[in-house]
Amino acid sequence: MILIVDSGATKSDWIALDEDGNELFLTKTLGLSPEVLTREIIAERLANNFELSDNREKVTQLYFYGAGCGTERMKNYLSRIFRNFFVNAKFFIKEDTYAAIHATADPGEHAIVCILGTGSNCSYYDGHEVFQKVVSLGYILMDDCSGNYFGRQLLRDYYYHRMPKGLAHKFSEAYDLDADVIKNNLYKEPNPNTYLATFARFVIENKQHEYSQKLIRKGMQLFIDNAIRQYEQADSVPVHFIGSIAFYLQEELREVMAQNNLKVGKILRRPIDNLVEYHRNIVFNK
C-alpha cells in the first residue's frame, strides 16, 4: 500500500493507493506540522485515525508533503515518529511546497508557486528544481496574506478599536473574544497559528465590507512585494496558487495581481487530487 499525504498546519489529506495506483481509501487527520507539535501529539493524531491504524502494517511507501518540513532536522523528526507507526514503510518527506508545485505546474513548466492557506509560502520552479529566495521564519514574523495573518490583524484591530463598530459587534458575536481565552490559545495551547487562522473565515464571509476589502488587498500586496517580487522571473511566468485563502478570495487576488502586471495561473483549494495524478504519471509511471 502506498500513502500520499498533503499536510498543512490545520489538516492533512491522506490517499491510499495499491501498487497499481488504484485508490483504496481517502482520509483526513489534523495537521502534522513538526515545527509546532510534539512527538506525542503527532503520534496520537495518527493513532486516532481508524484507516491509518488499521492499515499501518500494510503501508510500504509513504510520500509525505508537509508544512514545516523544509529542513533535514524536521524531516528526521517526522521519520522517527513514522517509523514507529508505519513499521514496514519507506518514507519520502518533503516540504508542502513540492505538493503545490506537483499539483499546479506542468512538467517542464517555469512558474512561481504560492501557498496561501493557514500559512504562506512562495517558490520558483524552473521545470526541474525548486528555488526559494526567502527562508520562512514562521507565522510570528512572516506568513503575509495567510489565514493566521488575517486572524492576527482582525484581533489587533478589534482590540485597538480600529474595526468599524457594526463589524466589530458582528465579530464579537461570531467568536469568543475574551482576552483570557485568546491568550490561552496563543500561548498555552498547541497550534497557535491554526487558532489564528480560524478567524480568517470572518474576512471571507464579510469580504464585501470596505474594511475587509482594505485588509484583504493590503495582505495580498504585502505578499506580492515580500514574496513574489523576490523572483526576477515574476513578470514573465505564471503564478500558481494553492490554499483556502487564495481559493475563496480569488476574485480579489486576480484583481491585485493584475494591478501588479502579474499573470495568474491555476488557483486550487487543495493539491491532493492533482498530487495523486502526478504520482501515477511521473513517480509510478502508470
Side-chain angles (χ1 to χ4, degrees):
M1 181 183 294
I2 300 163
L3 283 178
I4 300 172
V5 191
D6 170 50
S7 179
T10 303
K11 62 180 178 61
S12 302
D13 292 314
W14 301 68
I15 287 185
L17 307 176
D18 64 19
E19 299 300 325
D20 292 321
N22 301 309
E23 183 177 323
L24 298 173
F25 64 81
L26 169 66
T27 191
K28 295 179 184 290
T29 65
L30 293 174
L32 302 177
S33 176
E35 289 184 322
V36 296
L37 297 177
T38 65
R39 184 188 309 265
E40 290 74 22
I41 290 175
I42 294 175
E44 181 182 9
R45 291 182 178 182
L46 294 172
N48 285 343
N49 182 282
F50 172 77
E51 287 89 353
L52 298 181
S53 293
D54 193 48
N55 292 280
R56 66 192 191 94
E57 294 183 359
K58 300 176 185 177
V59 177
T60 57
Q61 298 177 64
L62 172 64
Y63 293 87
F64 187 90
Y65 300 88
C69 297
T71 66
E72 289 303 315
R73 185 171 68 88
M74 291 293 98
K75 291 177 185 177
N76 292 333
Y77 176 74
L78 272 182
S79 291
R80 289 192 292 270
I81 300 172
F82 289 154
R83 194 173 295 118
N84 290 329
F85 190 80
F86 301 107
V87 293
N88 297 312
K90 293 182 179 179
F91 310 116
F92 305 88
I93 300 174
K94 291 187 176 182
E95 192 175 12
D96 57 348
T97 297
Y98 286 85
I101 288 169
H102 296 328
T104 58
D106 295 328
E109 178 186 24
H110 292 230
I112 291 173
V113 181
C114 308
I115 297 173
L116 292 180
T118 298
S120 64
N121 204 342
C122 182
S123 304
Y124 175 70
Y125 181 59
D126 72 353
H128 304 283
E129 296 185 48
V130 179
F131 301 91
Q132 283 190 306
K133 282 276 188 80
V134 177
V135 176
S136 176
L137 297 177
Y139 75 100
I140 293 176
L141 295 177
M142 294 185 171
D143 277 4
D144 292 333
C145 200
S146 67
N148 69 68
Y149 165 85
F150 288 120
R152 183 168 61 250
Q153 298 305 118
L154 285 169
L155 289 173
R156 285 172 56 85
D157 285 354
Y158 178 83
Y159 267 88
Y160 281 132
H161 307 291
R162 292 198 294 253
M163 189 180 290
K165 287 185 178 180
L167 202 61
H169 178 70
K170 195 174 182 179
F171 189 48
S172 66
E173 287 187 327
Y175 299 94
D176 187 345
L177 298 179
D178 180 80
D180 288 335
V181 171
I182 293 172
K183 287 187 285 186
N184 182 68
N185 278 282
L186 289 179
Y187 304 116
K188 294 185 179 180
E189 296 296 325
N191 292 79
N193 56 330
T194 301
Y195 169 71
L196 284 172
T198 62
F199 295 98
R201 176 172 56 87
F202 187 80
V203 175
I204 294 170
E205 292 176 348
N206 296 276
K207 69 174 189 174
Q208 75 283 354
H209 197 285
E210 181 182 359
Y211 164 85
S212 300
Q213 283 291 312
K214 288 181 179 179
L215 184 62
I216 291 166
R217 293 170 188 275
K218 179 182 178 181
M220 290 177 175
Q221 191 61 54
L222 281 172
F223 185 77
I224 289 171
D225 294 340
N226 293 333
I228 296 176
R229 285 293 184 193
Q230 294 284 340
Y231 303 100
E232 60 185 19
Q233 300 89 347
D235 293 314
S236 59
V237 301
V239 184
H240 301 305
F241 292 89
I242 288 281
S244 57
I245 297 297
F247 183 79
Y248 288 114
L249 297 177
Q250 60 181 285
E251 180 181 350
E252 289 79 9
L253 181 58
R254 292 182 188 279
E255 289 178 2
V256 176
M257 290 286 286
Q259 290 166 5
N260 285 268
N261 297 313
L262 298 172
K263 179 184 176 183
V264 176
K266 297 173 185 172
I267 301 179
L268 304 178
R269 182 183 176 188
R270 58 181 195 159
I272 190 65
D273 295 328
N274 290 24
L275 192 59
V276 169
E277 287 305 308
Y278 165 80
H279 281 78
R280 284 177 176 149
N281 297 330
I282 305 299
V283 180
F284 308 143
N285 293 315
K286 298 296 183 183

